[in-house]
Amino acid sequence: MSAVLYAQVHLTLPAWVHDAVDTARVYAGDEDKMALAIELARRNVEAGSGGPFGAAVFGPEHRLIAAGVNRVVSQHASLAHAEIMACMLAQQRLQSARLNTLLHPITLATASQPCCQCFGATIWAGIDRLLIGARGEDVTELAGFDEGPLPADWIGELERRGIEVVRDLQREQSRAVLRAYAEAGGQRY
Amino acid sequence: MSAVLYAQVHLTLPAWVHDAVDTARVYAGDEDKMALAIELARRNVEAGSGGPFGAAVFGPEHRLIAAGVNRVVSQHASLAHAEIMACMLAQQRLQSARLNTLLHPITLATASQPCCQCFGATIWAGIDRLLIGARGEDVTELAGFDEGPLPADWIGELERRGIEVVRDLQREQSRAVLRAYAEAGGQRY
């Protein structure tokens, strides 16, 4: 097999995302931010555009910088988890590889606990606060996804790097999306 | 701040990569594969197109599927580590989110040990063999980069998931690239 080298990759959110978010809205509290992440996850399942995961990045004035949903299967990209899509798009918008060098604090809300890949990615992205809905064990129990190996004290590792972690925000609502995905026969990968 | 939502991201390799690789060549042994990863790292430093990191994905016939170099600063993407670029481009080429469902075995050669983000990404990418040049401590010692928190037994975690790990391949050659980057005043991020 000889072939031209691929030198570019192009990842996109589904078109419905433009209708699901309001970039002018103030997402004042942690609950508002998490509600958007879970709503993105829910709509991703409903639209069949990816796995049951959503995430969103917010700036210091509680406005949305970028949204993300899981696009792994649809875009043939194991990287394209919701948190990664949201952080990459936020970095593109701010034109900075580290979000919180420009705006502070930066909050990432994710409907489910980051997997081993997104755990590491969160450290480099320039996040100050990480809001988590469902736990890793919920993702495995309800939707059958492996979350991969994390450091034993993963929350401590994040907090030692200046990232505040808030868990169990609307955990039941996020669990409901995971359950709906499994009940609809959603793919595990 | 109200704005249009960003819904796409586009990441590219530098143009010189087309001259640096030969997609028809058989990279028969681990040494050949690692030499390409290190050569990509070296040229990335020389061209000023990114950090001192290179990686390449090979298929079962020892031919190159995709190459990657670090593009974090140039593309404003904390994700764009060499291993990630190589795996994403390989997945685009094979049109599969998991490389080794189509071809087996898949080998990823990386000039330096994967950081906490790339460690996790490697698990989901569908890799069977992971070839590593410089160690994490070399990256920190020589180029000043933080590798982030890995699980205590990160090699065991990979091997338990069917990923063979080979370390210290041409470690000195990869260390030389890290040293050259630091001596040229390369950015740490």
Side-chain angles (χ1 to χ4, degrees), chain B:
Chain B
M1 180 173 69
S2 167
V4 166
L5 190 74
Y6 275 46
Q8 38 189 309
V9 62
H10 187 216
L11 300 174
T12 62
L13 296 182
W16 60 257
V17 168
H18 293 285
D19 301 322
V21 305
D22 178 357
T23 55
R25 182 173 154 193
V26 175
Y27 293 86
D30 289 351
E31 297 289 340
D32 289 345
K33 294 178 178 71
M34 180 53 64
L36 177 61
I38 295 173
E39 173 67 7
L40 289 165
R42 195 188 64 71
R43 290 183 73 141
N44 206 35
V45 173
E46 200 175 87
S49 43
F53 306 108
V57 173
F58 300 89
E61 293 176 351
H62 306 290
R63 287 200 175 83
L64 182 70
I65 297 176
V69 293
N70 177 288
R71 297 288 276 161
V72 169
V73 171
S74 54
Q75 308 241 302
H76 311 301
S78 59
L79 236 315
H81 290 200
E83 301 93 322
I84 300 272
M85 293 298 291
C87 289
M88 273 205 298
L89 289 164
Q91 290 171 351
Q92 293 304 298
R93 181 162 162 198
L94 299 185
Q95 288 287 288
S96 169
R98 199 166 176 97
L99 294 167
N100 59 7
T101 56
L102 290 174
L103 297 174
H104 178 86
I106 295 285
T107 302
L108 170 64
T110 175
S112 290
Q113 180 183 314
C115 75
C116 58
Q117 162 189 283
C118 298
F119 163 76
T122 297
I123 292 177
W124 307 141
I127 298 296
D128 301 294
R129 304 186 67 232
L130 176 63
L131 312 181
I132 302 174
R135 292 197 177 203
E137 56 259 39
D138 300 331
V139 175
T140 304
E141 172 203 335
L142 297 170
F145 287 92
D146 180 7
E147 288 278 273
L150 292 171
D153 180 24
W154 63 272
I155 294 178
E157 295 286 3
L158 292 172
E159 294 191 331
R160 276 189 287 283
R161 285 165 176 84
I163 302 172
E164 180 194 359
V165 179
V166 182
R167 288 209 288 182
D168 298 337
L169 282 165
Q170 300 171 30
R171 180 177 176 186
E172 280 312 314
Q173 289 91 320
S174 185
R175 281 175 56 93
V177 175
L178 296 168
R179 199 179 289 113
Y181 181 79
E183 286 171 357
Q187 201 173 341
R188 293 159 194 194
Y189 41 85

Side-chain angles (χ1 to χ4, degrees), chain A residues 84-103:
Chain A
I84 300 272
M85 293 299 291
C87 288
M88 275 205 297
L89 290 164
Q91 290 171 350
Q92 294 302 300
R93 179 162 163 198
L94 298 185
Q95 288 287 289
S96 169
R98 200 167 175 94
L99 294 167
N100 59 6
T101 56
L102 291 173
L103 296 174

Side-chain angles (χ1 to χ4, degrees), chain A residues 39-98:
Chain A
E39 173 67 7
L40 288 165
R42 193 189 65 71
R43 289 183 72 142
N44 206 35
V45 173
E46 200 174 271
S49 43
F53 306 107
V57 173
F58 301 89
E61 293 177 348
H62 306 291
R63 286 199 174 83
L64 182 70
I65 296 175
V69 293
N70 177 287
R71 296 288 275 162
V72 168
V73 171
S74 53
Q75 308 241 304
H76 311 300
S78 59
L79 236 316
H81 291 199
E83 301 94 321
I84 300 272
M85 293 299 291
C87 288
M88 275 205 297
L89 290 164
Q91 290 171 350
Q92 294 302 300
R93 179 162 163 198
L94 298 185
Q95 288 287 289
S96 169
R98 200 167 175 94

Side-chain angles (χ1 to χ4, degrees), chain A:
Chain A
M1 180 173 68
S2 166
V4 166
L5 190 73
Y6 274 47
Q8 39 189 308
V9 60
H10 187 214
L11 300 174
T12 62
L13 296 182
W16 59 257
V17 168
H18 294 285
D19 301 322
V21 306
D22 179 356
T23 55
R25 182 174 154 192
V26 175
Y27 292 87
D30 290 351
E31 297 289 340
D32 288 346
K33 294 179 177 73
M34 181 54 63
L36 177 60
I38 294 173
E39 173 67 7
L40 288 165
R42 193 189 65 71
R43 289 183 72 142
N44 206 35
V45 173
E46 200 174 271
S49 43
F53 306 107
V57 173
F58 301 89
E61 293 177 348
H62 306 291
R63 286 199 174 83
L64 182 70
I65 296 175
V69 293
N70 177 287
R71 296 288 275 162
V72 168
V73 171
S74 53
Q75 308 241 304
H76 311 300
S78 59
L79 236 316
H81 291 199
E83 301 94 321
I84 300 272
M85 293 299 291
C87 288
M88 275 205 297
L89 290 164
Q91 290 171 350
Q92 294 302 300
R93 179 162 163 198
L94 298 185
Q95 288 287 289
S96 169
R98 200 167 175 94
L99 294 167
N100 59 6
T101 56
L102 291 173
L103 296 174
H104 179 88
I106 295 285
T107 302
L108 170 63
T110 175
S112 288
Q113 181 182 314
C115 75
C116 58
Q117 160 188 283
C118 298
F119 163 76
T122 297
I123 292 177
W124 306 143
I127 299 295
D128 302 293
R129 305 187 66 233
L130 176 63
L131 312 181
I132 301 173
R135 294 197 175 203
E137 57 259 39
D138 299 331
V139 175
T140 303
E141 172 203 334
L142 297 169
F145 287 93
D146 181 7
E147 287 279 273
L150 293 170
D153 180 25
W154 63 273
I155 294 178
E157 295 287 4
L158 292 171
E159 294 192 330
R160 277 188 287 282
R161 286 166 174 81
I163 303 171
E164 179 194 358
V165 179
V166 182
R167 287 208 289 182
D168 298 336
L169 282 165
Q170 299 170 31
R171 181 177 176 185
E172 280 311 315
Q173 289 90 322
S174 186
R175 281 175 55 94
V177 176
L178 296 168
R179 198 179 291 113
Y181 181 79
E183 284 171 359
Q187 202 172 343
R188 293 159 194 193
Y189 44 83

